[in-house]
Amino acid sequence: MHPLALISLLILGETLNLYSILGLFMLFGIVKKNGILQIDYTNTLRARGMPRDQAIVEANHVRLRPILMTTVMLVAGMIPIALGEGPGSATRAAMAKVIIGGQTLCLLLTLLMTPVAYSLFDDLGHLHPLARASARLRAWFARPAAVNGRTRA
């Protein structure tokens, strides 16, 4: 379960029911998409030769607007459902409240924790002996075939 969405359920005094679980599934997809797009663009910038820290900042800067647009539109679309009255509105309100609370809290998680985690895992990857050996092999195969008139064996 998504802990930030469950925290929002506790704060708002809602129960975990079928509709709130559907809201959790929706959150999984949106939060995952935001994180993947951030990491993908960071990797693209690094492949173009940008240093890691600069690529992280630039990717966050570029992806900020789409992430904010997704969050604002999702929250704005769920407010009428959360505040609705009438038959069956209480069950649908649980889903809307999970999405509003979870998406709002996940916005902070996506914008702050994803870059930090990317940086930490990248540092750990350079410390691992297999990663260093793999990097040396890639560098060796990337060299030209003939260096100083001699060919590679």
Side-chain angles (χ1 to χ4, degrees):
M1 294 277 162
H2 206 284
L4 298 175
L6 294 177
I7 290 170
S8 69
L9 275 178
L10 290 173
I11 291 171
L12 297 173
E14 289 290 331
T15 61
L16 185 64
N17 57 34
L18 181 62
Y19 285 97
S20 58
I21 291 172
L22 288 173
L24 285 172
F25 285 136
M26 187 172 167
L27 277 177
F28 284 145
I30 293 168
V31 173
K32 179 186 65 145
K33 174 195 69 87
N34 289 340
I36 288 172
L37 291 175
Q38 262 184 309
I39 298 299
D40 183 55
Y41 193 61
T42 303
N43 288 338
T44 300
L45 292 174
R46 288 186 73 188
R48 293 179 187 165
M50 191 178 284
R52 180 191 71 187
D53 293 340
Q54 185 181 353
I56 289 172
V57 170
E58 179 66 22
N60 279 351
H61 178 71
V62 169
R63 297 300 311 157
L64 175 65
R65 188 178 65 133
I67 290 171
L68 282 176
M69 287 171 52
T70 301
T71 299
V72 169
M73 289 301 105
L74 189 61
V75 168
M78 290 294 134
I79 288 175
I81 298 172
L83 300 176
E85 293 180 8
S89 64
T91 54
R92 290 187 302 274
M95 176 185 68
K97 290 175 183 176
V98 158
I99 292 171
I100 290 170
Q103 183 62 31
T104 304
L105 294 173
C106 287
L107 173 69
L108 298 173
L109 181 72
T110 301
L111 295 176
L112 298 174
M113 294 301 295
T114 301
V116 171
Y118 181 89
S119 178
L120 289 174
F121 284 122
D122 188 55
D123 287 342
L124 286 175
H126 291 297
L127 294 176
H128 196 277
L130 289 177
R132 287 191 303 241
S134 172
R136 278 184 288 210
L137 281 173
R138 273 186 264 136
W140 188 78
F141 282 114
R143 292 187 321 184
V147 178
N148 294 332
R150 295 186 303 182
T151 57
R152 217 175 23 209

